[in-house]
Amino acid sequence: EPPSEIPLQYRTPEKSRPLPANPHPSQERKGLVSTPPLKTAGVCLPEDRRFDLDGLAKKAGPIAYHDVKWLETDLGWRSLGTQRGAPAERRRKLCEREMSRWEPVAFESKFGARVQAGPDAKRIADKVAAIFAFLEGLLAEVP
């Protein structure tokens, strides 16, 4: 094969030499399997919450307190899957999205009849109001 006209510092590995078919034993993935997502003390990511609230909307029958996967209010920004140092616009969007989901009037209009049919109507209403107040506090932190 004639020498390449590409200078040495600009050659990619594919152009300079073929990669070995079998990796070095130290680079093999011995027995590694993908692990399921970590579950800790009821903490969940926003995607999980969205699925659960939508799943709750699809679920028939009355809604009890334990049927709702509540937003953790003791984790601060981590409860929304971000942190205080994240860009302000990202934090604002995440917070506003969750506020639209947990706004007491909207929650009542979406689930009200089924919550009233369940045993924990007052407790659920109080928890939704507390989550919304928590989200308002987070939003107030965003410049």
Side-chain angles (χ1 to χ4, degrees):
E1 179 176 311
S4 174
E5 299 192 11
I6 301 172
L8 186 61
Q9 69 266 30
Y10 298 118
R11 290 184 196 171
T12 61
E14 298 83 47
K15 300 265 185 213
S16 59
R17 65 187 156 140
L19 294 174
N22 298 324
H24 186 269
S26 66
Q27 296 173 344
E28 287 181 4
R29 296 179 54 122
K30 294 179 184 172
L32 294 180
V33 294
S34 62
T35 57
L38 183 66
K39 293 193 174 197
T40 57
V43 176
C44 54
L45 297 175
E47 292 77 17
D48 295 333
R49 279 195 304 277
R50 181 169 41 250
F51 175 79
D52 284 339
L53 278 185
D54 292 342
L56 193 63
K58 294 174 189 168
K59 174 185 175 285
I63 297 173
Y65 186 86
H66 67 272
D67 291 333
V68 183
K69 194 163 196 177
W70 300 105
L71 181 70
E72 295 289 328
T73 56
D74 57 345
L75 297 176
W77 285 104
R78 287 183 297 158
S79 64
L80 300 183
T82 189
Q83 56 189 350
R84 180 169 281 134
E89 187 59 30
R90 172 177 164 70
R91 290 185 294 153
R92 182 178 294 107
K93 282 182 182 178
L94 285 171
C95 200
E96 288 172 349
R97 183 189 71 192
E98 290 299 318
M99 284 177 79
S100 69
R101 301 166 62 74
W102 292 103
E103 201 275 321
V105 174
F107 192 89
E108 175 70 23
S109 68
K110 191 169 186 178
F111 302 113
R114 293 171 48 215
V115 167
Q116 293 302 323
D120 307 316
K122 174 79 171 108
R123 188 175 174 203
I124 289 174
D126 291 345
K127 181 70 172 181
V128 169
I131 289 173
F132 190 72
F134 162 74
L135 292 169
E136 284 179 324
L138 286 182
L139 189 61
E141 291 180 14
V142 179

